[in-house]
C-alpha cells in the first residue's frame, strides 16, 4: 500500500505491517479522544516512525494515488481529530 505522510512524501508499506500500524494508530485515537496532548504527540510520532521503519520511498516521479494519508509530525490534536475516520487514521 502507498502511504503519504503529509509534508514528507509517499512510502510503499507492506500489508504485513498493518497490524502493528493499527496498534500504533489505536494509541493516537485514544489520545485524541482523551484530549491528551502529551500522549497524542508521542503516539503520532510513534505511528509515523513505524511507517518510516517499514516503508520504502515510493518513486518521486510517480503519479500513483496514495492509499492512505497521514498527518505531518507537527499536526495538532484538532487537525488529526478532523482526519480520523471510523477506523482511525489506518483502516483495519
Amino acid at each position: 500500500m502507498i502511504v503519504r505522510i503529509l509534508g514528507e512524501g509517499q512510502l510503499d508499506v507492506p500489508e504485513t505491517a498493518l497490524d502493528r500500524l493499527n496498534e500504533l494508530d489505536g494509541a493516537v485515537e485514544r489520545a485524541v479522544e482523551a484530549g491528551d496532548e502529551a500522549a497524542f504527540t508521542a503516539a503520532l510520532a510513534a505511528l509515523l516512525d513505524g511507517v518510516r521503519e517499514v516503508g520504502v520511498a515510493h518513486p518521486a516521479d510517480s503519479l500513483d494515488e496514495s492509499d492512505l494519508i497521514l498527518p505531518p509530525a507537527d499536526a495538532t490534536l484538532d487537525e488529526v481529530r478532523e482526519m480520523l475516520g471510523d477506523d482511525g487514521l489506518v483502516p483495519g
Side-chain angles (χ1 to χ4, degrees), residues 2-11 64 66 68-71:
I2 300 171
V3 178
R4 174 176 295 282
I5 298 175
L6 292 174
E8 295 185 27
Q10 292 177 307
L11 299 166
D64 296 326
S66 300
L68 178 63
I69 298 174
L70 295 176

Side-chain angles (χ1 to χ4, degrees), residues 18-91:
L18 286 180
D19 286 343
R20 175 66 181 139
L21 295 178
N22 272 310
E23 290 175 16
L24 296 169
D25 183 39
V28 172
E29 286 184 89
R30 288 188 295 278
V32 168
E33 288 172 9
D36 185 335
E37 286 279 351
F40 163 75
T41 300
L44 180 60
L47 174 60
L48 297 179
D49 285 347
V51 170
R52 292 183 196 109
E53 286 173 15
V54 299
V56 176
H58 194 76
D61 59 350
S62 167
L63 298 176
D64 296 326
E65 187 173 327
S66 300
D67 298 303
L68 178 63
I69 298 174
L70 295 176
D74 62 351
T76 67
L77 192 146
D78 288 335
E79 290 169 335
V80 172
R81 180 178 286 125
E82 291 178 15
M83 293 179 73
L84 287 174
D86 291 339
D87 285 337
L89 295 170
V90 179

